[in-house]
Amino acid sequence: MKIAFIGLGNMGGGMAANLVKAGHDVHAFDLSEEALGRAKENGCSTYTSVREAVQGAEAVVSMLPNGKIVESVYTGDVIGHAPTTALLLDCSTIDVDTAKRVADAAAGAGYAMVDAPVSGGIAAANGGTLTFMVGGSDAAFARAEPILAAMGKAVIHAGASGAGQAAKICNNMILGATMIATCEAFALAEKLGLDLQTFYDISSKASGQSWSMTSYCPIPGVGPQSPADNGYQGGFAAALMLKDLKLAMEAAASAGAKVPMGVRAEEVYEAFTAAGNGGVDFSGIIKTL
């Protein structure tokens, strides 16, 4: 397929490269010349504007920083410029209301669209092992699934437009809170005189097990390789975790849901990023303990 890819940052660059590997003709755009250069090296055709990139596209995939940018790009440069036959897939993590509004604008102009935020981080984006949570109609999901499958290990239909974003926000609220709890437990185990590898061997096979422990352990040299083994660099930046937690708090407020652990997780990551750690991997929160 001829696929336009908008947004070639830490996540989007690897995703676009995997579409090329799957045999697609990828027409890429980013504001960064460096990102465009990497995309070209990975086999993408590069363009100097969104409108140029989406010309004649059969699908448009985007990976952008926030809802305001997503809405601006789609309403200003994609809708009305890409063929109405093109499927629109936004893989950014944004608020549910904006996702629904952009999908409604697309539908009003004759386009099918899905919101398809991801879980897995930079390594999974590069390795093609992301998990996609997809919101949209059954027909749109059926069209989106083979495209997303070229970039991930799991593609799951969450429901109607906006449901993908809702699933991502809830998932990352769990992730933020469990990472803090995991870090606290390791810090306490050390203060109580436990060997941390031994504690990992026990808890990873007991009821304290979680993804934060067994797939992304915050202790260097313990468990599978993670950003902890690289000075807490790479992976998923604390500033991005804070962004997702803020989205979760906004969603909770609008839904009238009580999320005390989510509230506390937001406070902890707010303080961590305010102290100059926004670019540090979110597991680096252990350094505050």
Side-chain angles (χ1 to χ4, degrees):
M1 294 179 68
K2 184 176 181 180
I3 300 176
F5 201 107
I6 314 303
L8 303 165
N10 289 333
M11 298 291 290
M15 293 165 67
N18 282 316
L19 287 174
V20 173
K21 290 175 185 176
H24 296 295
D25 178 17
V26 180
H27 292 221
F29 171 78
D30 194 279
L31 293 172
S32 165
E33 289 294 332
E34 183 180 353
L36 287 173
R38 286 195 300 268
K40 195 168 185 177
E41 290 174 1
N42 289 328
C44 299
S45 300
T46 58
Y47 293 82
T48 57
S49 73
V50 172
R51 295 184 184 185
E52 287 180 339
V54 303
Q55 289 295 313
E58 297 172 77
V60 178
V61 181
S62 57
M63 186 54 130
L64 298 165
N66 57 56
K68 183 177 180 180
I69 293 173
V70 168
E71 188 163 22
S72 174
V73 166
Y74 275 94
T75 59
D77 297 304
V78 176
I79 295 171
H81 298 279
T84 55
T85 52
L87 175 66
L88 310 182
L89 307 90
D90 180 40
C91 297
S92 319
T93 296
I94 63 174
D95 61 286
V96 175
D97 288 343
T98 298
K100 290 181 177 179
R101 192 163 59 244
V102 174
D104 287 345
Y111 295 86
M113 184 171 188
V114 298
D115 50 284
V118 307
S119 178
I122 296 171
N126 291 335
T129 58
L130 293 167
T131 293
F132 289 89
M133 307 157 225
V134 188
S137 69
D138 290 343
F141 175 76
R143 292 177 61 191
E145 188 172 17
I147 298 171
L148 298 174
M151 301 180 285
K153 65 179 180 181
V155 182
I156 302 168
H157 193 191
S161 293
Q165 298 297 347
K168 173 64 184 288
I169 289 167
C170 292
N171 180 79
N172 276 26
M173 185 172 71
I174 294 173
L175 179 60
T178 56
M179 179 55 78
I180 294 169
T182 299
C183 290
E184 288 180 347
F186 272 104
L188 176 60
E190 185 173 40
K191 291 179 186 297
L192 293 174
L194 286 171
D195 174 77
L196 295 186
Q197 179 64 56
T198 300
F199 173 64
Y200 173 88
D201 292 343
I202 294 168
S203 193
S204 65
K205 297 176 180 64
S207 55
Q209 186 275 335
S210 70
W211 187 91
S212 294
M213 175 179 289
T214 55
S215 295
Y216 212 90
C217 188
I219 303 298
V222 176
Q225 188 170 13
S226 72
D229 300 304
N230 189 38
Y232 301 99
Q233 297 302 308
F236 187 53
L240 295 178
M241 173 54 77
L242 178 61
K243 169 199 164 186
D244 289 358
L245 288 168
K246 287 184 177 296
L247 290 173
M249 296 309 100
E250 291 171 9
S254 67
K258 292 185 177 180
V259 288
M261 294 300 290
V263 169
R264 183 57 184 144
E266 182 198 15
E267 292 171 350
V268 171
Y269 278 103
E270 182 82 71
F272 187 56
T273 58
N277 297 303
V280 174
D281 184 76
F282 82 110
S283 63
I285 197 76
I286 196 168
K287 298 194 292 184
T288 66
L289 301 171

